[in-house]
Amino acid sequence: MKKVMASLTGGHLTATRRGLLGAGLATLAMPAIRPAWAQDNWPNKTVRVVVPYAPGGGTDITTRAIAEALGQSLGQSFVVENRAGANGIVGSEAVSHSQPDGYTLMVVTSTHVMTRYITPQLPFDPLKDFTPIAMTARYPLVLMTAANSPYKSLADLVKAAKDKPGSIAQGTSDAQSSFTANQFAKRAGVEMIEIPYRGSGAYLAELTGGHLPVAWGSTATAMPLLSAGTIKVLAISSTERFSLMPDVPTVNEGGVQGAEFVGWFGMFAPAKLPAPIADKLNAEVLKAMQTPVLKERLRQLAVDPAALSRSEFTSLLVEEDRRWQQADKDGLLPKG
């Protein structure tokens, strides 16, 4: 190598040595060039979007709608893959170990951050092991009861619970509904029995049949039953009324202060995704969320389109982490 460099310095470079040196320089340059080329050309193949929950749920349905819009705008297929297990942990862990090249994404609910305070020895860090891309939509939870229930309002339920402590059960189906139920009971100053179910489908028959007094579920779960007249909704967990349920009061309006909860759907990639790809993805998601077709489709699913920039979403995640840390200290979270 010294001879090659000496010949180069002196201006005398043989063809053989010139070839060797050129090849060496090209090899050294490759790592710097290829990532930039890959980022500029993203996406040039199918993108996999992992939903770590079962098919047919709110996250799955909304993700498919967004994936279709992204595929149309970017000219590549965005294929949704359900990888359920352990309340989202199985699929999330798989994504955390994937290559950060923009071809493996994930859409989860707000329980993603909450999970670290629920599950001991979580195999990933919800914040450090992922790149936040964008929040896509928000959804409140609702307190449901059977159409023929004796509870005509939230005040009726609270009064009955105070009159007979520990006599009224409330059904839940996941971490966020469990938190909302526990927070509601604490803020209302009542003792209620939480009955956890494996999914909302498991409690709906008991609820509509009058065997389960009340249950907390998503607006997407409640809307079809509300339209069919088989349930009534006593309150909604957001600070403002939901546009698709304008007659349903908030928990605050129902007389229980400080029992708010609003969940979200968010898109993530593995940690260390190059910023150009993450920024491009965020821009495309925000653009898709503004299209009338996708807006209406999400509203039909009873969720509010609510896209955030990467910095806004990252700030929200930090706030959420603080919130769940405090909720854990207050004993309001279930333990997995």
Side-chain angles (χ1 to χ4, degrees), residues 51-54 56-64 107-109 139 264-266:
V51 173
Y53 316 113
T59 313
D60 178 62
I61 296 171
T62 55
T63 299
R64 291 180 186 278
V107 176
V108 292
T109 71
Y139 56 91
W264 46 260
F265 297 120

Side-chain angles (χ1 to χ4, degrees), residues 4-66:
V4 172
M5 294 306 295
S7 298
L8 179 60
T9 304
H12 304 291
L13 186 63
T14 65
T16 300
R17 288 173 175 171
R18 186 183 299 114
L20 290 171
L21 181 60
L25 292 175
T27 301
L28 290 173
M30 282 296 283
I33 294 173
R34 290 188 66 182
W37 178 87
Q39 294 167 29
D40 292 342
N41 287 274
W42 181 92
N44 58 19
K45 61 181 182 180
T46 297
V47 178
R48 182 173 63 120
V49 186
V50 175
V51 173
Y53 316 113
T59 313
D60 178 62
I61 296 171
T62 55
T63 299
R64 291 180 186 278
I66 294 168

